[in-house]
Structures are given as C-alpha cells and as structure tokens.
Amino acid sequence: MSVFKKGKKANASGRPKGSGNKVLRAFRELITEKISLDDIIKDLEKCSARDRVQFKIRLLEFAQPRMRSIEISDMPLLSELLAMTPEERKSRLLELMKQQRHG
C-alpha cells in the first residue's frame, strides 16, 4: 500500500504551482547580461542570407509549436465530418483530439 493518497500533495508546503525555477531564472539573467539584442543584430548583419533565414527558423520554433500530420483512415468519419456545420465539425475534431491524447 502506498503512502501517497490520490489527490493529496506529498509536500503541502512545497513550491507553489507555477512558481519559477531559481536556477533557470538565474541562468536567464546571466544570459541576458552577457548577450544583448544589439550584439545579436550586429552578428546577423555579418551573416549570409541563408544563415539569417536559418536563425529565424530556429527562433520561430520557440514561439510556434511544431505541426504534426494527422491521418484520417476512417472514411465513415470523413463523410460524417463533411456533412456537419463548421461549428459541429470543430467540436467533433476537438473531441477526437482529446480522445487521441488520452489514449
């Protein structure tokens, strides 16, 4: 039998949910002090056009999540979706995505 109870925190006085990690915060401050936006812009101006594009693509990965392909193998589902209104279709697709995430 486990000492942990479902729905109960193991350390009720632990770090509050959503509070930042002290080490990560210190690391970010250090990076911010050492690398300025002006330095980045000067370095980019020295780069080739190809390297500037690569930099922008990599930077976007932090702001935009990667897209995944989804296969629709169930033809009856496809015809069901096509017969729906846009609102019904959105609701049904969100429901299917939730089911897929939860196994």
Side-chain angles (χ1 to χ4, degrees):
M1 179 167 206
S2 175
V3 267
F4 298 105
K5 306 275 191 255
K6 187 174 182 176
K8 296 282 185 178
K9 289 185 175 183
N11 182 3
S13 62
R15 186 173 63 157
K17 187 174 185 177
S19 68
N21 181 318
K22 291 178 187 176
V23 174
L24 184 57
R25 184 180 9 231
F27 179 72
R28 284 183 178 155
E29 288 173 7
L30 178 68
I31 293 296
T32 304
E33 290 173 12
K34 301 294 180 191
I35 301 175
S36 73
L37 185 57
D38 290 334
D39 291 340
I40 294 171
I41 291 170
K42 286 177 190 174
D43 288 343
L44 278 174
E45 289 171 350
K46 295 175 190 174
C47 292
S48 67
R50 182 176 185 263
D51 289 341
R52 284 194 298 270
V53 170
Q54 286 290 46
F55 174 80
K56 291 175 184 178
I57 289 170
R58 289 185 179 175
L59 195 58
L60 282 173
E61 290 176 357
F62 290 97
Q64 185 69 28
R66 287 190 169 211
M67 296 181 73
R68 297 182 309 171
S69 63
I70 298 174
E71 261 186 55
I72 298 180
S73 57
D74 188 2
M75 289 308 288
L77 173 63
L78 182 59
S79 59
E80 173 191 338
L81 289 171
L82 291 173
M84 294 178 174
T85 65
E87 294 83 19
E88 291 171 331
R89 191 176 307 126
K90 181 180 177 182
S91 176
R92 179 70 173 125
L93 288 171
L94 288 172
E95 179 185 320
L96 290 169
M97 288 169 56
K98 280 183 187 177
Q99 288 174 3
Q100 186 178 18
R101 273 189 233 130
H102 292 64

